[in-house]
Amino acid sequence: PRTMAPAAPCLVLGLLVLSLCCEACKKVIFHVPSELEADTLVGRVDLNECLQSAESISSSDGNFKVLEDGSVYTTSALSLSAEKKTFTILLKDIQEQVQKKIHVSLVEEAKKTPKTRHARDTVLKRTKRRWGPIPSVMIENSLGPFPLQIQQVQSDTAQNYTIYYSATGPGIDQDPKGLFYIERETGNIFATRAVDREQYPSFQIICFATTPDGYSPEVPLVHTIRIEDDNDNAPYFTQNLFEFCVPENSRPGVVVGKVIAEDRDEPYTLHTTLKYRIVSQTPPITPAFSLHGDTGVISVLLPQLDRELVPSYTLLVEVRDMAGQPFGLCTTGTVVIKIEDTNDNAPSFKQLQYETQVEENRVSVEILRVSVVDLDEPGSPGSGAVYEIIRGNDDQAFEITTDKNTNEGILCVVKGLDYETAKQRVLVIGVNNEAPYLLAPHSQQLSQSTCSVTVHVLDVDEGPVFKPCLLRLDVKECEDIGTAIGRFVAEDPETGNSEGIRYRIPPGQCNWVNIDDKSGEVRTVRVLDRDIGEMRRGQCNITVLAIDRNGKTGTGTIQVCIVPGNKNFPRIMQTDYIMCRDRKPICLTAEDSDEAPYSAPFVYRITDRRLASMWKLTPHDDNSWYLSPKSDTPYGIYEIPVSVIDNGGKIGENTVRVNLCDCLTPTECDGRTRQLSGGNVTLGLWAILAMILGSLLLLLILITICGCCGAGVMHRQVTDDCANHNLIISNTEAPGEEVMDHNIIPLQNTCDQGGYGVKTGEQQTFEMVKGRGHTLESVKGGGHQTLGSVKEGGGQAMMDTCRYSYSEWHNFTHPRLGEKVHLCRQDEEQKHSEDYLLSYNYEGKGSLAGSVGCCSDQHEEEALDFLDQLEPKFRTLAETCIKR
């Protein structure tokens, strides 16, 4: 780098820069002031020493920029701190793939007193620091004469001048070598040739002044030379051809497109202020479009754009700079605007009437083609025709479609026509477009175009025709062979009669029926039974041929359907039952293999009068009825004849066997029954257990009596007042209190624990009070047995004391207790009784065995009528219990 001696500070655009070069491509040190302004020259680095073919020069610090000559400038104002500031200059050769780095260090320069040779130098230096030339202006493409003087720089202390210049601006690839030079002695700056501003917008020239001995007393002078623009570039369009589209019938003001032009001259000047205009229009008719002069926007001007008249327009447009002034430069371009089609033209038939013919019974045959005229663009939805038959096709015998290639309508017959029914048909055909119709401005609504087509039907000799072509015949099941079930005949379409027509059934079909070849009468050849093989489907289709005298053949179909009959009897599925003592009704269910209406609902009847008086039937649902016995029906096995009548009146006889058993569950009967007096009664398990328990109880009582009698004789203490001893102490039949009274006299013998007694302290007493009772008719011939008769065996009668010995009570109750046990589970209907404890306020109905108390036979002998007068609250009982 260039090395310059320090000088006194001065007011110039640059600052004094001291640059020291260390080892090449290693490190460079610049001594600079502590404060640096923007665009200040820091120093220069010899880049060629490191890399001569550098294609890319960059700085690692954005505050500095490096030019191609190695000059380093600041890009913004900087303030150096006490430490050095460093950055790196990066050189790259992309082709050779070489990269070099130069490390740059900025060191704040020491403040030194400038050397003064004499007072004049000091004054001149101070004056020059305050002087700075204004930027010079050079006209672009100047005509000279060359060399052309641009500016002059002077110095009173230096005689030799040198410059280094650089071109700045967009698109600069390299400096224009030799463009400027400076006279070494005078400091005049000259241009050697004309300059293109578009290539070099401006230059910065750095001027150095030195003394003859090579000393530089002043800082370098940075001088700017600006190239003033000349309108030397005409504007140009960005495209060679602009193409736009706009729908026809668009309204005025609709934007079509925009043309764009550019100018290379200086922006924001008259040289680049452009104006557009339409030069000409093809075809040269009424102007259809307008062009905005400033923006280049093209819009619709003509209120009616008709594609059918003018499919496209070509515009010659011009762009001129200098705001469109006549002396400005201009360029022309071409714009093509295509008019897009809309469906503004309705199709119309070329011919309004057509005639054609077709043979009768012909189907899927083309009989006519119709065509239309449409001014819209061919092949577009606006011209595609859609045909329809408006009238005359009620039976849908005709169909019309569109041929996409020719846009014609193709009329076809899709259902055979009958000459005898109609000799000709007249059709009305209409046409529309695929796209909806759009009205053009100021146009009226168009009506749909139609045409008429007359179709002549040609007569053809036809074969016989069955009417109807399908005959359904319903046959009841199990009809006799040869039964006539219907008639199937055909007619000649030309004559309308059936003369000379023969009928036959082709082989290979179901052989349920046959047909008479002359009359067409249909008869059965088999017994039709829906339960047999192929007849289970219940239906068979049979094809019948009808042949006339000319051999023409027609076909028809007979559908034979088997109607279900009432051929099966209803029968009860289950006939054996066991009914226990709860007499729960039995549900009888019948089935019938016939179908409705010859099956359910069923009606049940008992055909035996005697059994009908003992059993009854009640309905449950359509298939089932309940069978139940009446209340007085005894136990036993019954065989009940039951008839079931189906909905068709057919009767099925059934026998239901019912075992009416005295049991809790059907498994107890096990097929055996037991007999009781008066009827058949089954002896149940619980009855047997009751008898066993009764026998054990009697055995226990006998053992107790035998043990106590050997200990002594029972003594009684009798009180005079019998009225106070009318209560009986016995086993309670419901929860309650034990009532104790002082009038109860204990027995002297306490060893007798087999009787009924109340234990008081260490003694056990037994009390028997007289009362009313009923004797059993079954005891000893059915007569009454009194307590006196029991005592005739040697006991002492003590009726006035109302008490008896235990032996007397035992002899009286023992036979009755046995019978009580025997009948304890029987009631008057010979059913099981509910023998359980009852509360005191309800004693039940009573028992056939009667009472087993000792006073059962005393009746009114002891005057106990007061017991019948006890009040509901047992007031007398309470008074007796508390009496002392």
Side-chain angles (χ1 to χ4, degrees):
R2 178 185 297 272
T3 304
M4 300 182 65
C10 60
L11 293 174
V12 292
L13 293 176
L15 296 175
L16 179 62
V17 178
L18 296 178
S19 62
L20 299 177
C21 182
C22 297
E23 183 180 358
C25 301
K26 295 285 186 173
K27 185 176 182 181
V28 177
I29 300 176
F30 293 116
H31 294 272
V32 296
S34 60
E35 300 292 336
L36 296 176
E37 296 180 357
D39 295 327
T40 299
L41 178 64
V42 176
R44 284 192 298 171
V45 179
D46 190 356
L47 303 179
N48 293 331
E49 292 182 1
C50 293
L51 188 62
Q52 294 182 357
S53 59
E55 298 180 2
S56 174
I57 304 173
S58 61
S59 173
S60 63
D61 192 339
N63 294 322
F64 302 93
K65 62 181 179 179
V66 183
L67 303 181
E68 291 185 356
D69 62 345
S71 301
V72 180
Y73 286 86
T74 59
T75 59
S76 60
L78 295 176
S79 177
L80 296 180
S81 61
E83 299 179 356
K84 295 187 298 182
K85 185 172 184 63
T86 61
F87 64 93
T88 303
I89 299 175
L90 184 62
L91 307 176
K92 293 182 181 180
D93 188 344
I94 300 176
Q95 295 181 356
E96 299 295 334
Q97 297 182 353
V98 178
Q99 179 174 314
K100 298 291 185 178
K101 292 183 179 180
I102 301 176
H103 298 283
V104 180
S105 299
L106 302 182
V107 180
E108 185 180 1
E109 64 181 6
K111 296 182 180 179
K112 297 181 180 179
T113 303
K115 295 181 181 180
T116 306
R117 293 184 178 181
H118 46 78
R120 184 180 177 185
D121 294 340
T122 304
V123 175
L124 290 176
K125 292 176 182 177
R126 290 177 181 175
T127 302
K128 286 185 177 180
R129 288 180 64 188
R130 292 191 299 268
W131 172 79
I134 63 174
S136 300
V137 176
M138 180 180 176
I139 302 300
E140 180 186 15
N141 301 321
S142 176
L143 299 179
F146 294 100
L148 178 66
Q149 183 179 354
I150 302 302
Q151 185 62 272
Q152 182 183 16
V153 294
Q154 295 179 353
S155 174
D156 295 337
T157 60
Q159 290 78 31
N160 300 325
Y161 299 93
T162 60
I163 64 171
Y164 180 83
Y165 57 89
S166 64
T168 61
I172 303 303
D173 297 331
Q174 61 183 4
D175 293 338
K177 304 298 182 182
L179 180 60
F180 298 99
Y181 72 92
I182 188 170
E183 287 184 347
R184 185 177 182 82
E185 294 79 10
T186 62
N188 291 325
I189 301 173
F190 294 91
T192 61
R193 63 181 182 272
V195 180
D196 187 2
R197 192 206 67 84
E198 285 70 41
Q199 186 177 5
Y200 303 106
S202 65
F203 296 90
Q204 282 186 344
I205 297 178
I206 305 172
C207 303
F208 298 91
T210 61
T211 59
D213 57 0
Y215 174 71
S216 296
E218 299 175 357
V219 296
L221 179 65
V222 179
H223 182 61
T224 301
I225 301 176
R226 187 174 61 85
I227 308 302
E228 185 175 350
D229 181 50
D230 182 24
N231 190 20
D232 59 341
N233 293 284
Y236 61 93
F237 287 102
T238 58
Q239 296 178 218
N240 295 329
L241 177 66
F242 293 90
E243 293 183 346
F244 304 109
C245 296
V246 63
E248 63 177 331
N249 301 318
S250 295
R251 297 179 180 178
V254 175
V255 176
V256 177
K258 181 180 180 180
V259 294
I260 301 175
E262 296 179 352
D263 197 321
R264 296 186 181 91
D265 291 323
E266 186 176 359
Y268 310 109
T269 64
L270 282 176
H271 298 167
T272 55
T273 303
L274 308 180
K275 285 288 185 179
Y276 302 90
R277 73 182 184 93
I278 297 176
V279 178
S280 63
Q281 172 185 298
T282 303
I285 55 177
T286 304
F289 303 96
S290 63
L291 177 61
H292 195 280
D294 296 330
T295 62
V297 175
I298 301 175
S299 57
V300 176
L301 180 63
L302 187 66
Q304 292 181 347
L305 293 177
D306 192 350
R307 189 204 65 84
E308 287 72 36
L309 296 178
V310 181
S312 67
Y313 292 85
T314 301
L315 304 179
L316 180 65
V317 295
E318 177 192 83
V319 59
R320 185 182 294 270
D321 60 10
M322 302 300 292
Q325 298 184 43
F327 53 83
L329 303 178
C330 67
T331 302
T332 58
T334 304
V335 178
V336 176
I337 302 175
K338 295 182 179 180
I339 308 302
E340 293 181 344
D341 181 51
T342 59
N343 188 23
D344 59 343
N345 294 280
S348 59
F349 285 98
K350 294 181 179 180
Q351 186 176 338
L352 298 181
Q353 292 184 350
Y354 295 88
E355 287 191 13
T356 185
Q357 61 184 13
V358 62
E359 295 179 351
E360 64 175 333
N361 301 322
R362 291 284 303 275
V363 294
S364 300
V365 57
E366 176 184 333
I367 60 175
L368 181 66
R369 282 182 175 245
V370 296
S371 58
V372 295
V373 176
D374 198 322
L375 299 179
D376 292 319
E377 184 177 0
S380 66
S383 64
V386 178
Y387 300 90
E388 61 176 338
I389 301 175
I390 300 176
R391 290 192 300 273
N393 192 30
D394 297 336
D395 58 351
Q396 305 297 318
F398 298 91
E399 183 181 80
I400 188 167
T401 57
T402 303
D403 188 338
K404 296 297 182 180
N405 296 326
T406 62
N407 209 30
E408 294 177 324
I410 304 174
L411 182 64
C412 299
V413 178
V414 295
K415 186 185 295 185
L417 303 177
D418 188 5
Y419 173 82
E420 288 72 27
T421 302
K423 295 179 174 57
Q424 71 177 17
R425 300 283 295 272
V426 178
L427 307 177
V428 178
I429 300 175
V431 64
N432 290 307
N433 287 130
E434 297 177 5
Y437 180 74
L438 299 177
L439 286 176
H442 311 292
S443 62
Q444 297 180 353
Q445 180 69 41
L446 298 178
S447 60
Q448 184 183 23
S449 177
T450 60
C451 71
S452 63
V453 178
T454 302
V455 181
H456 299 280
V457 183
L458 303 179
D459 186 21
V460 177
D461 186 12
E462 302 172 277
V465 177
F466 285 96
K467 294 184 178 180
C469 59
L470 175 64
L471 176 64
R472 177 187 173 97
L473 298 177
D474 294 332
V475 186
K476 291 185 179 180
E477 265 188 302
C478 303
E479 289 284 357
D480 296 336
I481 296 176
T483 301
I485 59 176
R487 203 163 169 268
F488 196 33
V489 295
E491 297 178 356
D492 190 333
E494 283 74 23
T495 61
N497 56 54
S498 302
E499 296 180 0
I501 297 177
R502 300 281 183 172
Y503 306 94
R504 69 183 183 88
I505 298 177
Q509 304 184 69
C510 64
N511 55 352
W512 295 3
V513 298
N514 63 2
I515 187 170
D516 187 87
D517 61 343
K518 295 181 179 179
S519 63
E521 188 177 37
V522 181
R523 294 180 177 273
T524 60
V525 296
R526 298 177 60 185
V527 176
L528 305 186
D529 190 350
R530 292 172 61 92
D531 297 333
I532 300 176
E534 62 181 9
M535 298 184 186
R536 292 182 180 179
R537 294 178 302 171
Q539 180 177 316
C540 177
N541 294 333
I542 303 172
T543 301
V544 180
L545 301 179
I547 306 171
D548 61 8
R549 295 186 180 93
N550 299 326
K552 298 286 185 179
T553 303
T555 60
T557 303
I558 298 176
Q559 188 179 73
V560 180
C561 298
I562 303 176
V563 178
N566 193 11
K567 64 176 183 177
N568 297 297
F569 295 92
R571 61 186 182 88
I572 299 176
M573 302 305 297
Q574 182 179 351
T575 57
D576 289 340
Y577 296 93
I578 297 176
M579 181 181 291
C580 290
R581 66 179 66 172
D582 56 2
R583 304 200 175 198
K584 183 178 180 180
I586 298 170
C587 184
L588 302 179
T589 302
E591 285 187 357
D592 194 331
S593 299
D594 296 325
E595 296 183 0
Y598 302 113
S599 56
F602 301 128
V603 177
Y604 291 70
R605 295 286 186 271
I606 298 177
T607 56
D608 189 287
R609 291 187 178 181
R610 183 182 67 84
L611 293 175
S613 62
M614 303 172 65
W615 297 82
K616 61 181 178 180
L617 288 168
T618 55
H620 171 53
D621 55 23
D622 290 348
N623 296 328
S624 304
W625 282 48
Y626 284 123
L627 174 65
S628 59
K630 296 183 179 180
S631 60
D632 57 348
T633 302
Y635 293 108
I637 298 175
Y638 299 90
E639 293 186 355
I640 306 170
V642 178
S643 61
V644 182
I645 308 171
D646 62 16
N647 196 36
K650 210 153 195 175
I651 302 175
E653 299 293 343
N654 304 268
T655 300
V656 179
R657 186 177 185 273
V658 181
N659 184 0
L660 184 58
C661 179
D662 183 15
C663 60
L664 292 178
T665 60
T667 56
E668 296 179 9
C669 284
D670 195 20
R672 298 187 300 271
T673 59
R674 61 185 180 93
Q675 300 291 332
L676 290 181
S677 59
N680 295 328
V681 180
T682 303
L683 185 61
L685 177 62
W686 293 104
I688 298 175
L689 291 177
M691 295 176 62
I692 295 174
L693 291 177
S695 302
L696 293 177
L697 179 60
L698 289 178
L699 181 60
L700 180 60
I701 293 174
L702 293 177
I703 295 174
T704 303
I705 293 175
C706 294
C708 295
C709 289
V713 179
M714 180 183 301
H715 296 282
R716 295 183 299 166
Q717 294 183 5
V718 183
T719 60
D720 295 336
D721 190 2
C722 291
N724 294 330
H725 305 281
N726 293 321
L727 296 179
I728 301 173
I729 303 301
S730 64
N731 291 343
T732 59
E733 293 185 349
E737 289 185 344
E738 294 292 342
V739 180
M740 301 301 299
D741 194 293
H742 72 283
N743 293 321
I744 299 175
I745 302 174
L747 298 176
Q748 295 179 358
N749 190 349
T750 61
C751 66
D752 188 2
Q753 299 179 3
Y756 296 90
V758 179
K759 189 174 182 182
T760 305
E762 297 298 331
Q763 296 179 345
Q764 181 180 8
T765 63
F766 176 83
E767 182 182 49
M768 179 66 67
V769 184
K770 294 184 297 180
R772 294 185 179 184
H774 300 279
T775 61
L776 294 175
E777 296 177 359
S778 60
V779 177
K780 295 183 179 181
H784 292 277
Q785 182 178 0
T786 62
L787 190 57
S789 63
V790 176
K791 293 185 291 181
E792 289 177 359
Q796 183 180 359
M798 299 184 68
M799 301 299 295
D800 56 317
T801 62
C802 301
R803 300 186 183 276
Y804 310 96
S805 65
Y806 175 79
S807 60
E808 294 174 346
W809 172 83
H810 180 269
N811 294 333
F812 177 78
T813 59
H814 181 71
R816 291 164 175 77
L817 181 60
E819 188 173 355
K820 176 68 174 180
V821 172
H822 179 70
L823 298 176
C824 66
R825 299 182 62 84
Q826 302 295 326
D827 57 7
E828 64 276 6
E829 294 182 358
Q830 298 180 354
K831 297 180 181 179
H832 291 282
S833 301
E834 296 294 337
D835 198 12
Y836 54 86
L837 297 181
L838 302 175
S839 60
Y840 72 91
N841 59 348
Y842 178 71
E843 294 290 341
K845 298 182 187 179
S847 174
L848 293 178
S851 176
V852 296
C854 63
C855 299
S856 298
D857 286 342
Q858 298 305 317
H859 298 290
E860 298 179 359
E861 296 178 4
E862 304 299 331
L864 299 178
D865 295 337
F866 72 94
L867 293 176
D868 297 330
Q869 300 177 2
L870 293 177
E871 295 182 2
K873 298 297 183 178
F874 297 97
R875 184 174 302 170
T876 304
L877 175 61
E879 292 175 357
T880 304
C881 292
I882 63 175
K883 187 174 181 180
R884 293 290 182 265

